[in-house]
Amino acid sequence: MIVLAATPIGNLGDASTRLVQALENAEVIAAEDTRTAIHLMRALGVENRPRLIALHEHNEREKAHEVVELARAGDVLVLTDAGMPAISDPGFPLVEAASAAGVTVTAIPGPSAVLTALAVSGLPTDRFTFEGFLPRKGGDRRKFLRSISTERRTMVFFESPHRLADSLVDLAAEFGAERRVVVCRELTKLHEEVKRGTAAELAAWAADGVRGEICVVAEGAEETEVDLAAGVALVLAAVASGDRLKDTAADVASATGLSKRDLYEGALAAR
């Protein structure tokens, strides 16, 4: 079978007994970075020397078939550099291929930056979404944030420290300056920091630069009724900034529950 194994996101003490046992017994390990896998085993006192296969974002679709075939003969342990494989890390194409081939996939659960950030954020945890990394380019990022600006569930994002300030400025613009936001930095590490405030406050805080691994948790939107006229206005505003009408109508429809066709035709009529 294929075994997806969660690894520590910062604190080595979070390595589970099952993870250590799996590393000790593994004959084949598919790792995001084989050097990181070797370092982890050494740090945990594991003397096993399994076959190591690099499985990362640039080759995982090509390597998936090979790893699946290896898993027919024996277990393959799958590791990423930190956290759970397949969650904004390599692994999904492999699981997809294994499922299609009838090869069993299981997991050794453990540390998760997503759940850790959500748990410590102080924002509602009963319903939430994980949105992965925000788009790199400003225009794409603002368009994406606009499309989810009415999402009522708590939202968790990953972000690069180098783009955090710009992303928080865009989040404040699209979600509203008073939306509650939490930035979680270096979770489980020595310099862990959880910074809470409004979108505007955290944008100002991050302006001088922030270091480390970053998770952003944003409060969901308040429940509001958006009528067709307001929805059309949202579409027209996005189109005026350069977005395609068809795509924007779909985004606003998804966010508001309004009809995509009505939004599209309403925007055409208004233009």
Short mmCIF file of all heavy atoms in Angstrom, two decimals, residues 133-157:
data_model
loop_
_atom_site.label_atom_id
_atom_site.label_comp_id
_atom_site.label_asym_id
_atom_site.label_seq_id
_atom_site.Cartn_x
_atom_site.Cartn_y
_atom_site.Cartn_z
N PHE A 133 -2.21 28.32 -1.15
CA PHE A 133 -1.44 29.54 -1.34
C PHE A 133 -2.24 30.53 -2.19
O PHE A 133 -2.87 30.15 -3.18
CB PHE A 133 -0.12 29.24 -2.04
CG PHE A 133 0.95 28.72 -1.13
CD1 PHE A 133 1.14 27.36 -0.97
CD2 PHE A 133 1.76 29.59 -0.41
CE1 PHE A 133 2.12 26.86 -0.12
CE2 PHE A 133 2.74 29.11 0.45
CZ PHE A 133 2.93 27.75 0.59
N LEU A 134 -2.19 31.79 -1.81
CA LEU A 134 -2.82 32.84 -2.61
C LEU A 134 -2.04 33.03 -3.90
O LEU A 134 -0.82 32.79 -3.94
CB LEU A 134 -2.85 34.16 -1.83
CG LEU A 134 -3.82 34.21 -0.66
CD1 LEU A 134 -3.56 35.44 0.20
CD2 LEU A 134 -5.26 34.22 -1.16
N PRO A 135 -2.71 33.46 -4.99
CA PRO A 135 -2.00 33.72 -6.25
C PRO A 135 -0.85 34.70 -6.06
O PRO A 135 -0.92 35.64 -5.26
CB PRO A 135 -3.09 34.31 -7.14
CG PRO A 135 -4.37 33.74 -6.60
CD PRO A 135 -4.16 33.67 -5.11
N ARG A 136 0.23 34.49 -6.80
CA ARG A 136 1.42 35.32 -6.66
C ARG A 136 1.22 36.74 -7.18
O ARG A 136 1.66 37.71 -6.58
CB ARG A 136 2.60 34.68 -7.41
CG ARG A 136 3.08 33.38 -6.79
CD ARG A 136 4.09 32.70 -7.70
NE ARG A 136 4.63 31.48 -7.12
CZ ARG A 136 5.75 31.42 -6.42
NH1 ARG A 136 6.46 32.52 -6.23
NH2 ARG A 136 6.18 30.28 -5.91
N LYS A 137 0.57 36.87 -8.34
CA LYS A 137 0.43 38.17 -8.98
C LYS A 137 -0.71 38.96 -8.34
O LYS A 137 -1.77 38.41 -8.03
CB LYS A 137 0.18 38.00 -10.47
CG LYS A 137 1.37 37.38 -11.21
CD LYS A 137 1.09 37.27 -12.70
CE LYS A 137 2.28 36.67 -13.43
NZ LYS A 137 2.02 36.55 -14.89
N GLY A 138 -0.48 40.28 -8.18
CA GLY A 138 -1.45 41.11 -7.49
C GLY A 138 -2.84 41.09 -8.10
O GLY A 138 -3.84 40.96 -7.39
N GLY A 139 -2.91 41.20 -9.42
CA GLY A 139 -4.21 41.21 -10.08
C GLY A 139 -4.96 39.91 -9.89
O GLY A 139 -6.17 39.90 -9.61
N ASP A 140 -4.25 38.79 -10.04
CA ASP A 140 -4.88 37.48 -9.84
C ASP A 140 -5.29 37.30 -8.38
O ASP A 140 -6.34 36.71 -8.10
CB ASP A 140 -3.91 36.37 -10.23
CG ASP A 140 -3.61 36.34 -11.72
OD1 ASP A 140 -4.41 36.88 -12.50
OD2 ASP A 140 -2.56 35.78 -12.10
N ARG A 141 -4.45 37.79 -7.48
CA ARG A 141 -4.75 37.64 -6.06
C ARG A 141 -6.01 38.42 -5.67
O ARG A 141 -6.88 37.92 -4.96
CB ARG A 141 -3.55 38.11 -5.23
CG ARG A 141 -3.71 37.88 -3.74
CD ARG A 141 -2.40 38.10 -3.00
NE ARG A 141 -1.83 39.41 -3.25
CZ ARG A 141 -0.65 39.61 -3.83
NH1 ARG A 141 0.09 38.59 -4.24
NH2 ARG A 141 -0.19 40.84 -4.00
N ARG A 142 -6.10 39.66 -6.16
CA ARG A 142 -7.28 40.47 -5.83
C ARG A 142 -8.54 39.86 -6.43
O ARG A 142 -9.61 39.85 -5.78
CB ARG A 142 -7.07 41.91 -6.34
CG ARG A 142 -6.05 42.69 -5.52
CD ARG A 142 -6.03 44.15 -5.91
NE ARG A 142 -5.55 44.35 -7.27
CZ ARG A 142 -4.27 44.47 -7.60
NH1 ARG A 142 -3.33 44.40 -6.67
NH2 ARG A 142 -3.91 44.66 -8.85
N LYS A 143 -8.43 39.34 -7.64
CA LYS A 143 -9.59 38.71 -8.27
C LYS A 143 -10.04 37.49 -7.46
O LYS A 143 -11.24 37.28 -7.24
CB LYS A 143 -9.25 38.28 -9.70
CG LYS A 143 -10.38 37.61 -10.43
CD LYS A 143 -9.97 37.19 -11.83
CE LYS A 143 -11.10 36.47 -12.56
NZ LYS A 143 -10.69 36.04 -13.93
N PHE A 144 -9.07 36.70 -7.02
CA PHE A 144 -9.41 35.52 -6.23
C PHE A 144 -10.05 35.90 -4.91
O PHE A 144 -11.09 35.34 -4.51
CB PHE A 144 -8.16 34.68 -5.98
CG PHE A 144 -8.39 33.54 -5.04
CD1 PHE A 144 -9.11 32.43 -5.45
CD2 PHE A 144 -7.90 33.58 -3.74
CE1 PHE A 144 -9.34 31.37 -4.59
CE2 PHE A 144 -8.12 32.53 -2.87
CZ PHE A 144 -8.84 31.43 -3.29
N LEU A 145 -9.46 36.87 -4.22
CA LEU A 145 -10.02 37.30 -2.93
C LEU A 145 -11.42 37.89 -3.10
O LEU A 145 -12.30 37.66 -2.27
CB LEU A 145 -9.09 38.32 -2.28
CG LEU A 145 -7.77 37.77 -1.73
CD1 LEU A 145 -6.83 38.88 -1.33
CD2 LEU A 145 -8.02 36.84 -0.54
N ARG A 146 -11.62 38.62 -4.19
CA ARG A 146 -12.94 39.18 -4.47
C ARG A 146 -13.97 38.06 -4.64
O ARG A 146 -15.11 38.17 -4.19
CB ARG A 146 -12.88 40.05 -5.72
CG ARG A 146 -14.15 40.86 -6.01
CD ARG A 146 -13.96 41.67 -7.29
NE ARG A 146 -12.72 42.43 -7.23
CZ ARG A 146 -11.85 42.50 -8.22
NH1 ARG A 146 -12.04 41.84 -9.34
NH2 ARG A 146 -10.74 43.22 -8.08
N SER A 147 -13.55 36.97 -5.29
CA SER A 147 -14.48 35.87 -5.56
C SER A 147 -14.93 35.15 -4.29
O SER A 147 -15.97 34.50 -4.28
CB SER A 147 -13.85 34.87 -6.53
OG SER A 147 -12.86 34.07 -5.90
N ILE A 148 -14.13 35.24 -3.22
CA ILE A 148 -14.50 34.57 -1.97
C ILE A 148 -14.80 35.57 -0.85
O ILE A 148 -14.88 35.17 0.32
CB ILE A 148 -13.39 33.59 -1.52
CG1 ILE A 148 -12.07 34.33 -1.27
CG2 ILE A 148 -13.20 32.48 -2.55
CD1 ILE A 148 -11.01 33.46 -0.61
N SER A 149 -14.96 36.82 -1.20
CA SER A 149 -15.13 37.86 -0.18
C SER A 149 -16.42 37.70 0.63
O SER A 149 -16.52 38.21 1.74
CB SER A 149 -15.10 39.25 -0.82
OG SER A 149 -16.16 39.39 -1.77
N THR A 150 -17.42 36.99 0.08
CA THR A 150 -18.66 36.78 0.81
C THR A 150 -18.74 35.39 1.45
O THR A 150 -19.78 35.00 1.98
CB THR A 150 -19.88 36.98 -0.11
OG1 THR A 150 -19.79 36.07 -1.21
CG2 THR A 150 -19.93 38.41 -0.63
N GLU A 151 -17.63 34.64 1.39
CA GLU A 151 -17.58 33.32 2.03
C GLU A 151 -17.81 33.47 3.53
O GLU A 151 -17.15 34.26 4.20
CB GLU A 151 -16.21 32.68 1.77
CG GLU A 151 -15.95 31.41 2.57
CD GLU A 151 -16.93 30.31 2.26
OE1 GLU A 151 -16.96 29.85 1.10
OE2 GLU A 151 -17.68 29.91 3.18
N ARG A 152 -18.76 32.72 4.08
CA ARG A 152 -19.13 32.88 5.49
C ARG A 152 -18.32 31.99 6.42
O ARG A 152 -18.29 32.21 7.63
CB ARG A 152 -20.63 32.60 5.66
CG ARG A 152 -21.51 33.65 4.98
CD ARG A 152 -22.98 33.27 5.05
NE ARG A 152 -23.39 33.01 6.43
CZ ARG A 152 -24.46 32.30 6.76
NH1 ARG A 152 -25.22 31.77 5.80
NH2 ARG A 152 -24.79 32.13 8.02
N ARG A 153 -17.64 31.00 5.88
CA ARG A 153 -16.81 30.14 6.72
C ARG A 153 -15.45 30.79 6.98
O ARG A 153 -14.97 31.59 6.18
CB ARG A 153 -16.62 28.78 6.04
CG ARG A 153 -17.89 27.97 5.91
CD ARG A 153 -17.72 26.78 5.00
NE ARG A 153 -17.55 27.18 3.61
CZ ARG A 153 -17.44 26.34 2.59
NH1 ARG A 153 -17.48 25.05 2.82
NH2 ARG A 153 -17.31 26.78 1.36
N THR A 154 -14.82 30.43 8.08
CA THR A 154 -13.46 30.85 8.36
C THR A 154 -12.54 30.31 7.25
O THR A 154 -12.71 29.17 6.81
CB THR A 154 -13.00 30.33 9.73
OG1 THR A 154 -13.87 30.84 10.74
CG2 THR A 154 -11.57 30.74 10.04
N MET A 155 -11.61 31.12 6.81
CA MET A 155 -10.73 30.74 5.70
C MET A 155 -9.27 30.67 6.16
O MET A 155 -8.81 31.53 6.91
CB MET A 155 -10.85 31.75 4.56
CG MET A 155 -12.20 31.71 3.86
SD MET A 155 -12.54 33.23 2.93
CE MET A 155 -13.19 34.27 4.25
N VAL A 156 -8.57 29.64 5.72
CA VAL A 156 -7.15 29.47 6.04
C VAL A 156 -6.35 29.52 4.75
O VAL A 156 -6.72 28.87 3.76
CB VAL A 156 -6.89 28.13 6.77
CG1 VAL A 156 -5.41 28.03 7.17
CG2 VAL A 156 -7.79 27.98 7.99
N PHE A 157 -5.28 30.29 4.74
CA PHE A 157 -4.41 30.42 3.58
C PHE A 157 -2.96 30.16 3.98
O PHE A 157 -2.58 30.37 5.14
CB PHE A 157 -4.45 31.86 3.02
CG PHE A 157 -5.82 32.41 2.77
CD1 PHE A 157 -6.48 33.13 3.75
CD2 PHE A 157 -6.45 32.23 1.55
CE1 PHE A 157 -7.74 33.66 3.52
CE2 PHE A 157 -7.71 32.75 1.31
CZ PHE A 157 -8.36 33.47 2.30
#
